[in-house]
Structure formats: C-alpha cells, structure tokens
Amino acid sequence: MRKPLPFNDIRHHQAHQFLVDEAYLLDAQQYEAWLDTMTDDIHYVMPVRVTTARGAGFDTAPGMDHFDEDKYSLTQRVARMATEHVWAEDPPSRLRHFITNVRTFDEDPAHLLVESAELLFRSRGDVNESVLLSCGREDLLRWDESQDRWKLARRKIIADESVLRMQNLAVFL
C-alpha cells in the first residue's frame, strides 16, 4: 500500500489548491480557463459503473465509458457550450463542485497522483429537482516547467452509483 504525502507537504497543498481552483472555474463555468489547466495529452475518462458480486474482480464495465476524452474533444465540448446548439444546458445548470478527502502521492519529481472525492450539486431551471452526483476521482498532475505550475494530465472518475440520476452528463466533473 502506497503512503500518501503528509498534509503539511507543500506538494499536497499545491495539489489541493489546484483542485479547489479548478472547482471554482467549473462552478463559474469558465471553461476556457479550465481547459488551460490541462496538458495537451490529457486523458479524461468516466467508466460505466456496474454492480457485481464481491469476488468478481471488477466494478466497471470493460470498454464502456460515459465519456473518454482527450484535449481535442474537451475543446470541442467547451466551444459548443458557447453556441445556441447546447440544448441540454439552456438554461445553464447551476453547479457546485464539492471536493474533499484529498490524498496526494509522490509519483516522481514531475508528477503527483491525487485522489479526491467529489459531490456535484446541479440545479436545472425552476421546475426540475436538483441532483447530486457523488464520485471518486484519481488525477495525475504534471509539473509544467514553462508555466511553473501543475497541470492535469489524467483524470479517472468513478461514480458511486451504477445508475446516474441526472438527465444528462453535459457538465464536467
């Protein structure tokens, strides 16, 4: 079992600050700025969660994802958000990303592995009920020497439920 960095380690503070700042950008729907927090080779994936017997050895459906994206596809989704063709988000959702249980692991001098829990609150218009989505995330942060900051190189999102209780996944986690 890998040992997490202590909470007073500067790299843990930096990783935690990265996640808090990212949550702000997503809540404020500043998606262009959010894209800038990612490496060009980002891998952003959310496997489909399944319920299996305890000894099955897996809890996601092999080869099935809610989304499996790279920088190009994320950029296209963000660009679409600025058009009149984003019917799933018109009117826009009201979002709040709660990030907690942050644990940071030292991969090597240029990378940090960061585990966190996320609770997304989403409100849609005046007639739909609000929705909560709970998930765990495993992120790989990479140090960008040219910009002197951490950037997101990989994110794996694991929902805590097999059946998602929202109409669509037109938001970012």
Side-chain angles (χ1 to χ4, degrees), residues 18 22 32-44 69-75 110-112 139-147 149-155:
F18 177 92
E22 180 195 34
E32 292 285 339
W34 176 66
L35 283 174
D36 190 46
T37 69
M38 299 176 187
T39 62
D40 289 337
D41 64 342
I42 179 76
H43 186 214
Y44 185 84
E69 302 199 71
D70 59 13
K71 186 76 172 255
Y72 175 79
S73 63
L74 289 167
T75 301
H111 294 89
L112 292 174
D139 296 336
L140 183 68
L141 299 183
R142 181 181 305 142
W143 185 254
D144 184 327
E145 287 285 339
S146 66
Q147 296 186 8
R149 65 180 176 141
W150 293 103
K151 287 191 147 191
L152 183 64
R154 183 182 72 220
R155 171 163 290 156

Side-chain angles (χ1 to χ4, degrees), residues 4-141:
L5 294 173
F7 287 161
N8 63 352
D9 188 296
I10 187 66
R11 294 164 298 169
H12 175 77
H13 284 287
Q14 291 170 339
H16 198 159
Q17 184 71 51
F18 177 92
L19 296 179
V20 169
D21 290 344
E22 180 195 34
Y24 169 79
L25 293 174
L26 292 172
D27 291 346
Q29 299 181 14
Q30 295 181 14
Y31 299 124
E32 292 285 339
W34 176 66
L35 283 174
D36 190 46
T37 69
M38 299 176 187
T39 62
D40 289 337
D41 64 342
I42 179 76
H43 186 214
Y44 185 84
V45 63
M46 183 178 180
V48 172
R49 193 79 185 258
V50 294
T51 303
T52 59
R54 186 168 295 175
F58 65 93
D59 68 351
T60 59
M64 291 184 64
D65 303 299
H66 291 289
F67 46 79
D68 185 350
E69 302 199 71
D70 59 13
K71 186 76 172 255
Y72 175 79
S73 63
L74 289 167
T75 301
Q76 293 305 306
R77 280 181 63 192
V78 166
R80 186 170 172 266
M81 292 290 226
T83 73
E84 68 276 1
H85 302 292
V86 64
W87 304 295
E89 279 298 299
D90 191 11
S93 294
R94 294 180 188 106
L95 305 170
R96 186 74 56 211
H97 294 76
F98 296 91
I99 308 300
T100 187
N101 298 4
V102 177
R103 295 179 355 131
T104 308
F105 302 87
D106 188 13
E107 284 290 290
D108 58 54
H111 294 89
L112 292 174
L113 181 66
V114 185
E115 295 175 349
S116 63
E118 177 180 30
L119 181 64
L120 174 71
F121 170 86
R122 182 181 187 193
S123 175
R124 297 257 317 132
D126 297 331
V127 294
N128 296 332
E129 289 188 31
S130 59
V131 185
L132 294 174
L133 175 64
S134 174
C135 59
R137 301 188 311 183
E138 183 181 282
D139 296 336
L140 183 68
L141 299 183

